[in-house]
Amino acid sequence: MVKTTQYLRYVPGSVFGLVGTGRCVRFVTRFSQTAKYVAVPACERVLVWDIRRATKVLTLDAEVCGSVTVLEPRPSTPGSLDNTHIAVGYSDGSLAVFDLTLGQPLKFTGHRGAVSTLSWDPQGMRVASGSSDGEIVIWDVVSERGMVRLKGHKGKITRIRFLQNRNVIVSSCIDSFIKFWDIDVNHCFRTLTGHRAEVWDFVLLRNDTRLISGSSDAELRVWSLRFTDADIKTTKETIEEKSDEPSNKILHIDTQGMQSSTADQEDKVEDDASILEIVRLGSVLRSRGDRVCGLHTNDRVVVCHGKSPVMDLFVILTDEEVETKVAKRLKKTRKRAREATTVVEGHEAPQLADEIRKLPALRAANKLLGLDVFSEKMGNMKIVALHVDNSLVVYGSSLQAKENKAQIHCKETSKALSILDRPGHRTEVRAIAFTSLSDQVITASADSLKVWHRNDTQAITTVPCDYAVSLIVVPGDRHALIGTRSGCLQLFDLGAATLLENIMAHEPDEMATDTGVWSITLTHDGRGFITGGSDKMVKFWKFELVREGNESSGKRLSFIQDSRALKVADQVTCVRCSSNGKFVAVATLDLKETLYFSDTLKLCHELYGKSLPTTCMDFSTDATIIVTGSKDTSLRIYGTDFGDQRRLMKNAHQGGVTGLQFISKTHMFFSCGQDGTVKQWDADNFQKIITLQGHTGIVRCLAVCPKGAWVVSGGQDYSVRLWERTKELLILEEEREEERRKEEEEGATNAAQRPVLSGEEGAQAVRPTITSHHTEKAADMILEALMIYHEQIEAGSAAVPHQLMTYVYHTSDPLKFVLEVLRKVKSSELEEAIISLPLDRILELLVVIKGLLEHDWDVELASRILVLAARINLPQLLSSAMAAPIIHTLAHLLTQKTLQLQNLVGFNLAGLRYMKNRLELRTETQLFAEALQKVKDARRKKKKKDQAVRRVLMSI
């Protein structure tokens, strides 16, 4: 293989301009500060914002290719308010658990689709994840491994929640079912089938005795849950107090809070032999009829939102409030009965309207991606909402607020307590450019123009503007010129953040549906610029200095139109000027590009051959090559001397090419497209060099700095990404091999290609992990270690230690060398690595495990590997005569060593409990002493106060 030195690798750099992008937002408690920090997804990262100071305090990056789809903070430990960890799910099916104090991730891979929901158990030891492949995986965070994969749903899992008092999880799916899973036996023991459409979300309330589910209509269905067996963790008295069922009438609470009775027999849940009884209590009506996008609760308030900006709020009343409400209703009923001379029973069961009260709905400023709720003292609450326009807003409400009919139809936006929108654009980035020194990046969108510092990625200047579709930086780096969708040219002074000129440059046609100044390019000398727009004109402009007001005031920059103009056959989509000033290239909607001589504007060449219009093009620095990109996904390389097409590169970007630019003084260029990638190409040998991935959505624009050290891109996901050139050499053959490996790995994630072990076919509970390139590397490490171990044992005492043993693992013992290799394998990848081993290597591994157990080296790891190897290869081991002796020896040895380890752990646990009791007694004594001191201080203060009052009275 011949190494080339002409290509240097570009790697991802800074990502800025983001507030939040995913459909999830959560309050995070840090340093005992509640309702201050918010965690939001931002493409492939998680950002933790301080919403009071509007600053970013933490960035979590697991270096995963997919974007963040869901996140869930770990419940706080007893005696602390802080969330120490946060679980994050990605679109590539991986899962990461971050330590918020250190920022280090713990990665898991177990899904073939995007992770759609996450849930922690009440103790914070396990995480359940559901994905779009319809499977649920439970992960043990402490031992860093997967526990089980649950299969039963058909479709995307929309929500998973753990029950508080039982080892049970509840899951909902778009197949309209809600399933209850017993984790002790890994089996679904109850399925709720009362929905007619997809179940998008649900919440559990009142000590897991109430379930509220949201579907694709305006109803929130309320269900009563009650376990009938005696093995419940709470006391019988608590269950009897908290399971008073409302009447079995189907009740609806409408938007005014009134209840109505219906007799829909289809909504009743038929009883079966399950230990769980489910009764439908009624429905709560939302303000809108769109589908539910999210249901969130803090056990006191339930917040629901759909595709509209409206947030519906419901209060879950306490037992005392329910009793008070029932007593008031019963009192009114008795009064009416006395007037009607009828008899009323003395006791009435609570109804649904007695448990849930509707609060006034809040209206956000824009459509919602996600929200979270936090209750404060004095009956107040905060709701943080992530909008689709890349902004984060905190709204406030009160539990005592009452709704009236006028508020229901009110379209006024609710008052926000705080708004976080400065770090980015409100709309997608449409144009981007570097300054001449490459120290600043200028971006433009439909609402504003921003200047960013490249090193610290902070917005220096923000100027409101019209809908920008093209952008150039005026020589001198003090001004920027944009072309708008309305056909205007706007000139901005970046230092003063002011608009200097706003001139109608290309008058839009009355019959045209798409208008604007689609392209701006500087002339070769930098003294003017050329524009092309929807009026079928190419216009030439010159910069000039003008004086405003009196003669004493200074001059400012402006521009005037040149006398020259070029009329073309159709709307201009792109215009470029060569660096030597010889050619002007114009692309139009009639599927052709035309090269003109810039001095005479006479026709030079016409370039044909496209099936869709050209969207972008650029000249090389020496003006010998022009490259065009069009909506037909192709790149075309032309020579400017004869106008001949040198190469057609099909399928360069799926969906179409949106932008391209040459690296200065080279024939290499970058392109971007609707497939969300940025690619580097060589126009001399017509090869793709590298593909840069990171954007989620369409990449609208890109820019290359004058020296080619950085490339910046922006697009539909609101992010601005820097790509930095390194000194690492890039070899095309290795790059193509890496791309083929990734394609094979993506294809291997299909269910048909996933290896199925004995007992897994048709079962509800299967192994949690899947094969990836990480597990393949782990299997190769184990195979290499076993091979070295076998060679060292055969050589005996005359063996020379292997170089890996001596220089990497620093040991001369082959058995200890294999142990160190096994320790380096991640716990989450160990099972798949053992599955990949052949049977002869499994027998060698059993011999190694026997030696580890005899030496008492890492008994826990050896026991786990032995159980995995025996369970996975059980049919082959039973039929192998060579495996029988070692299996019998290991059976006796494993029992003995695990019993010793169990006794050791039990002894240490008893000692820790004894120390805990001693500390608790000491703490109680200290608390008693502190309380006694407080009483003495209070008495002393009271005595001084009484003496002061007496002196005042005596003086009077």
Side-chain angles (χ1 to χ4, degrees):
M1 182 182 298
V2 180
K3 292 186 177 181
T4 61
T5 58
Q6 64 183 103
Y7 301 133
L8 296 178
R9 183 179 297 275
Y10 282 82
V11 297
S14 304
V15 180
F16 49 96
L18 287 173
V19 175
T21 57
R23 292 188 172 274
C24 187
V25 57
R26 290 290 181 269
F27 278 110
V28 177
T29 303
R30 303 178 73 229
F31 313 116
S32 300
Q33 297 287 329
T34 58
K36 182 180 180 182
Y37 299 100
V38 175
V40 295
C43 292
E44 72 276 12
R45 294 173 171 86
V46 176
L47 305 180
V48 180
W49 294 94
D50 186 342
I51 55 177
R52 297 178 186 175
R53 298 169 55 191
T55 57
K56 181 171 59 178
V57 296
L58 190 62
T59 300
L60 305 176
D61 187 5
E63 298 180 357
V64 176
C65 296
S67 58
V68 177
T69 55
V70 64
L71 57 89
E72 190 69 30
R74 180 185 179 185
S76 57
T77 57
S80 174
L81 296 175
D82 293 349
N83 300 114
T84 57
H85 294 77
I86 185 170
V88 182
Y90 294 88
S91 59
D92 62 349
S94 59
L95 171 70
V97 178
F98 288 93
D99 189 341
L100 292 178
T101 58
L102 302 177
Q104 297 297 326
L106 173 63
K107 299 180 184 178
F108 300 102
T109 304
H111 290 288
R112 297 184 297 275
V115 179
S116 57
T117 179
L118 293 171
S119 179
W120 289 84
D121 69 341
Q123 292 76 28
M125 302 298 178
R126 296 172 297 176
V127 177
S129 61
S131 71
S132 57
D133 57 8
E135 297 176 348
I136 302 170
V137 179
I138 302 177
W139 308 93
D140 191 337
V141 179
V142 178
S143 62
E144 302 180 5
R145 65 184 183 90
M147 297 176 62
V148 69
R149 180 190 303 271
L150 303 175
K151 303 170 65 175
H153 283 292
K154 297 180 180 179
K156 177 183 176 182
I157 307 294
T158 56
R159 177 64 68 184
I160 297 175
R161 297 190 188 274
F162 278 88
L163 294 186
Q164 297 293 324
N165 299 320
R166 286 178 172 269
N167 196 16
V168 173
I169 63 171
V170 188
S171 63
S172 62
C173 182
I174 61 175
D175 59 3
S176 75
F177 296 144
I178 297 178
K179 289 181 177 291
F180 296 80
W181 305 83
D182 191 340
I183 308 304
D184 293 330
V185 296
N186 299 326
H187 179 69
C188 175
F189 66 92
R190 190 73 162 88
T191 301
L192 178 59
T193 60
H195 296 84
R196 300 186 182 92
E198 301 90 346
V199 182
W200 293 107
D201 206 345
F202 70 91
V203 291
L204 295 168
L205 302 167
R206 296 176 65 85
N207 198 23
D208 297 335
T209 60
R210 298 291 183 271
L211 186 147
I212 300 179
S213 58
S215 185
S216 299
D217 51 20
E219 292 187 22
L220 296 179
R221 294 165 177 81
V222 185
W223 311 85
S224 171
L225 309 179
R226 188 174 71 89
F227 287 90
T228 58
D229 61 339
D231 299 330
I232 193 163
K233 297 181 181 179
T234 57
T235 61
K236 184 177 179 180
E237 291 79 11
T238 306
I239 293 299
E240 291 177 353
E241 291 175 0
K242 295 189 177 183
S243 62
D244 294 332
E245 304 297 344
S247 58
N248 290 332
K249 296 185 293 182
I250 305 299
L251 300 177
H252 292 266
I253 299 180
D254 57 15
T255 55
Q256 287 81 13
M258 304 298 292
Q259 63 178 5
S260 59
S261 176
T262 62
D264 191 356
Q265 298 295 330
E266 297 180 357
D267 291 334
K268 294 184 179 180
V269 180
E270 296 182 0
D271 193 13
D272 57 6
S274 174
I275 61 172
L276 177 62
E277 289 184 357
I278 303 178
V279 179
R280 180 173 177 185
L281 305 180
S283 298
V284 178
L285 295 184
R286 300 164 48 226
S287 302
R288 297 293 185 272
D290 54 347
R291 79 169 180 87
V292 173
C293 293
L295 272 173
H296 306 275
T297 183
N298 57 354
D299 297 330
R300 179 61 171 160
V301 181
V302 176
V303 184
C304 176
H305 74 94
K307 294 183 177 180
S308 64
V310 179
M311 296 173 281
D312 294 303
L313 281 69
F314 304 93
V315 178
I316 308 301
L317 304 181
T318 61
D319 294 337
E320 293 77 8
E321 292 173 338
V322 170
E323 292 177 359
T324 303
K325 205 166 184 180
V326 171
K328 288 183 179 180
R329 191 180 71 253
L330 186 59
K331 184 178 179 180
K332 293 180 181 179
T333 304
R334 288 174 178 172
K335 183 178 179 181
R336 290 194 296 267
R338 285 196 302 268
E339 295 175 356
T341 65
T342 58
V343 180
V344 179
E345 296 182 358
H347 175 74
E348 185 177 353
Q351 299 179 359
L352 182 59
D354 301 328
E355 297 183 0
I356 302 176
R357 178 168 59 88
K358 185 175 177 61
L359 293 177
L362 299 179
R363 188 177 186 87
N366 209 325
K367 293 183 179 180
L368 302 173
L369 283 176
L371 56 85
D372 198 12
V373 59
F374 177 81
S375 293
E376 296 181 322
K377 297 180 180 179
M378 306 301 293
N380 296 325
M381 58 181 173
K382 288 184 178 180
I383 300 173
V384 58
L386 181 60
H387 293 169
V388 296
D389 62 349
N390 194 31
S391 64
L392 197 66
V393 183
V394 179
Y395 300 95
S397 184
S398 175
L399 297 180
Q400 286 74 33
K402 294 184 179 180
E403 188 179 32
N404 52 41
K405 295 182 179 180
Q407 288 177 323
I408 298 174
H409 305 285
C410 180
K411 295 185 178 180
E412 182 180 357
T413 303
S414 302
K415 184 178 180 180
L417 301 179
S418 61
I419 301 176
L420 180 62
D421 58 357
R422 294 287 297 174
H425 289 280
R426 304 283 71 75
T427 56
E428 60 185 29
V429 180
R430 295 302 303 263
I432 197 166
F434 269 109
T435 57
S436 61
L437 298 178
S438 306
D439 59 340
Q440 294 178 353
V441 177
I442 302 174
T443 60
S445 65
D447 64 329
S448 63
L449 180 140
K450 287 181 177 289
V451 181
W452 306 84
H453 197 281
R454 178 180 53 79
N455 290 333
D456 56 12
T457 64
Q458 297 295 323
I460 304 173
T461 305
T462 301
V463 189
C465 68
D466 293 343
Y467 198 122
V469 292
S470 54
L471 166 70
I472 60 170
V473 179
V474 180
D477 297 342
R478 297 181 56 186
H479 300 82
L481 181 70
I482 66 170
T484 67
R485 199 161 190 170
S486 59
C488 296
L489 288 174
Q490 293 184 340
L491 180 65
F492 294 92
D493 187 340
L494 301 180
T498 56
L499 175 64
L500 300 180
E501 296 285 353
N502 188 5
I503 298 176
M504 178 61 69
H506 293 267
E507 189 74 27
D509 190 0
E510 296 180 357
M511 302 300 294
T513 58
D514 209 0
T515 62
V517 182
W518 299 118
S519 184
I520 305 177
T521 183
L522 285 171
T523 56
H524 68 286
D525 55 2
R527 297 180 179 180
F529 59 94
I530 307 172
T531 61
S534 57
D535 58 351
K536 305 178 183 179
M537 295 292 295
V538 178
K539 297 183 179 180
F540 295 79
W541 308 78
K542 290 183 179 180
F543 292 112
E544 66 172 0
L545 294 176
V546 298
R547 191 184 302 275
E548 288 185 337
N550 52 16
E551 295 183 356
S552 61
S553 62
K555 295 182 179 181
R556 67 169 180 84
L557 185 69
S558 181
F559 56 88
I560 59 173
Q561 185 176 354
D562 199 353
S563 58
R564 296 189 303 165
L566 183 64
K567 181 71 174 179
V568 294
D570 210 334
Q571 293 189 31
V572 178
T573 59
C574 187
V575 59
R576 288 292 181 268
C577 180
S578 61
S579 58
N580 58 6
K582 183 177 181 180
F583 301 108
V584 174
V586 180
T588 54
L589 280 178
D590 55 359
L591 308 183
K592 67 179 181 180
E593 301 87 29
T594 308
L595 266 67
Y596 299 93
F597 293 105
S598 59
D599 51 355
T600 61
L601 297 184
K602 290 185 178 180
L603 178 65
C604 178
H605 299 295
E606 284 191 352
L607 312 177
Y608 297 94
K610 298 171 184 60
S611 59
L612 289 174
T614 296
T615 56
C616 53
M617 58 183 177
D618 195 23
F619 283 99
S620 61
T621 307
D622 55 6
T624 60
I625 297 175
I626 181 172
V627 179
T628 65
S630 64
K631 289 186 177 181
D632 61 359
T633 73
S634 300
L635 289 170
R636 289 172 170 84
I637 302 176
Y638 297 93
T640 57
D641 47 0
F642 299 106
D644 56 321
Q645 179 176 302
R646 298 184 179 179
R647 181 58 62 96
L648 168 62
M649 292 181 284
K650 296 183 178 179
N651 298 322
H653 291 277
Q654 297 296 325
V657 185
T658 56
L660 65 87
Q661 185 175 348
F662 269 93
I663 302 175
S664 179
K665 299 180 181 179
T666 67
H667 282 182
M668 293 181 291
F669 64 94
F670 283 90
S671 66
C672 60
Q674 296 192 10
D675 55 358
T677 61
V678 177
K679 297 182 180 181
Q680 185 184 7
W681 307 82
D682 192 336
D684 288 334
N685 55 17
F686 316 119
Q687 287 188 352
K688 182 180 68 175
I689 301 174
I690 192 173
T691 300
L692 304 175
Q693 296 181 345
H695 282 280
T696 57
I698 302 173
V699 183
R700 295 290 186 186
C701 51
L702 65 82
V704 183
C705 74
K707 293 184 179 181
W710 291 280
V711 178
V712 64
S713 59
Q716 201 173 29
D717 58 358
Y718 301 93
S719 67
V720 180
R721 294 176 181 268
L722 276 172
W723 313 92
E724 184 179 357
R725 185 175 64 193
T726 63
K727 295 182 179 180
E728 178 186 356
L729 296 180
L730 187 146
I731 302 173
L732 295 181
E733 291 80 1
E734 293 182 357
E735 196 68 24
R736 300 292 89 77
E737 182 65 27
E738 183 69 16
E739 292 179 359
R740 284 192 293 268
R741 185 194 61 77
K742 290 182 179 180
E743 292 178 358
E744 291 175 359
E745 184 179 346
E746 292 177 358
T749 56
N750 297 330
Q753 299 182 6
R754 183 173 181 266
V756 179
L757 302 179
S758 59
E760 287 189 350
E761 189 172 1
Q764 279 190 348
V766 297
R767 75 180 191 277
T769 55
I770 62 174
T771 304
S772 64
H773 70 280
H774 296 290
T775 59
E776 292 177 356
K777 289 181 180 179
D780 293 339
M781 288 173 55
I782 297 175
L783 286 173
E784 185 179 13
L786 292 176
M787 188 180 303
I788 296 174
Y789 173 80
H790 183 70
E791 293 175 356
Q792 294 290 317
I793 294 299
E794 284 186 348
S797 59
V800 178
H802 196 272
Q803 292 182 356
L804 282 178
M805 299 170 56
T806 305
Y807 297 105
V808 179
Y809 294 96
H810 307 290
T811 180
S812 59
D813 189 352
L815 187 62
K816 186 169 290 187
F817 164 67
V818 179
L819 175 61
E820 293 299 328
V821 172
L822 293 175
R823 283 174 176 172
K824 282 189 173 294
V825 178
K826 291 184 178 180
S827 181
S828 58
E829 301 169 0
L830 186 60
E831 185 172 358
E832 288 295 327
I834 294 177
I835 291 175
S836 304
L837 298 179
L839 182 60
D840 55 345
R841 298 302 180 185
I842 290 293
L843 295 176
E844 293 182 6
L845 183 61
L846 294 181
V847 175
V848 172
I849 296 301
K850 176 177 174 294
L852 296 178
L853 293 177
E854 289 174 348
H855 287 79
D856 288 333
W857 290 349
D858 210 334
V859 176
E860 185 177 356
L861 177 61
S863 302
R864 184 188 172 196
I865 295 175
L866 175 58
V867 173
L868 284 175
R871 179 173 60 86
I872 293 170
N873 300 274
L874 184 60
Q876 293 84 358
L877 293 176
L878 290 177
S879 59
S880 175
M882 298 175 59
I886 187 66
I887 289 294
H888 288 295
T889 305
L890 285 172
H892 173 71
L893 196 58
L894 180 63
T895 305
Q896 178 185 353
K897 297 300 179 179
T898 52
L899 184 59
Q900 292 178 3
L901 183 62
Q902 182 181 358
N903 293 334
L904 178 62
V905 172
F907 180 81
N908 292 336
L909 182 60
L912 291 174
R913 286 176 177 171
Y914 174 75
M915 294 176 62
K916 177 184 176 183
N917 294 334
R918 291 291 300 272
L919 289 174
E920 288 179 353
L921 291 174
R922 187 180 302 173
T923 305
E924 289 177 1
T925 305
Q926 184 178 0
L927 290 175
F928 179 76
E930 292 177 356
L932 184 61
Q933 184 65 31
K934 287 182 180 179
V935 171
K936 290 181 179 180
D937 294 341
R939 289 177 179 176
R940 189 181 300 110
K941 291 181 181 178
K942 185 178 180 182
K943 186 176 180 180
K944 289 182 180 180
K945 186 176 180 181
D946 292 341
Q947 290 177 357
V949 173
R950 288 174 187 172
R951 293 193 193 100
V952 173
L953 293 175
M954 290 177 64
S955 62
I956 293 174

